[in-house]
Amino acid sequence: MKMHMNKIILAGRLTRAAELKVGNSGSEYCKFTIAVDRSRTKDNEKKTDFFDCTAFGKTGAFVEKYFAKGVNMGGVKE
């Protein structure tokens, strides 16, 4: 049976430092949470969604090394 994966692209900010860990099998993974702002509502209220993420292998090591809390995808600290 072939497994299908969904792919989403989110642009936001890390809410805290990413954590690089090693699993039981010896493979690395990185856990982090990003905050993504929504468009403002009719009442000009700001809404933010939070997403828990996990990146595996070299991607996880990259996130842990180069991403920092409060920095958005463009490298700008908010």
Side-chain angles (χ1 to χ4, degrees):
M1 178 201 276
K2 188 174 183 179
M3 180 185 282
H4 297 280
M5 300 284 288
N6 292 329
K7 180 178 182 179
I8 62 169
I9 298 172
L10 300 169
R13 316 172 290 291
L14 287 181
T15 60
R16 62 180 178 270
E19 301 175 49
L20 188 64
K21 298 180 179 191
V22 178
N24 292 336
S25 65
S27 59
E28 292 182 326
Y29 65 97
C30 182
K31 297 185 82 91
F32 56 98
T33 302
I34 61 171
V36 178
D37 293 330
R38 291 188 191 188
S39 299
R40 294 193 179 261
T41 65
K42 294 177 190 175
D43 300 328
N44 206 28
E45 290 182 43
K46 184 177 176 181
K47 299 277 186 175
T48 304
D49 294 310
F50 296 89
F51 296 89
D52 294 325
C53 304
T54 304
F56 299 93
K58 292 179 182 178
T59 303
F62 182 87
V63 169
E64 191 270 335
K65 184 174 182 179
Y66 292 107
F67 291 11
K69 177 184 174 185
V71 177
N72 69 17
M73 297 294 283
V76 179
K77 186 156 181 122
E78 295 185 4

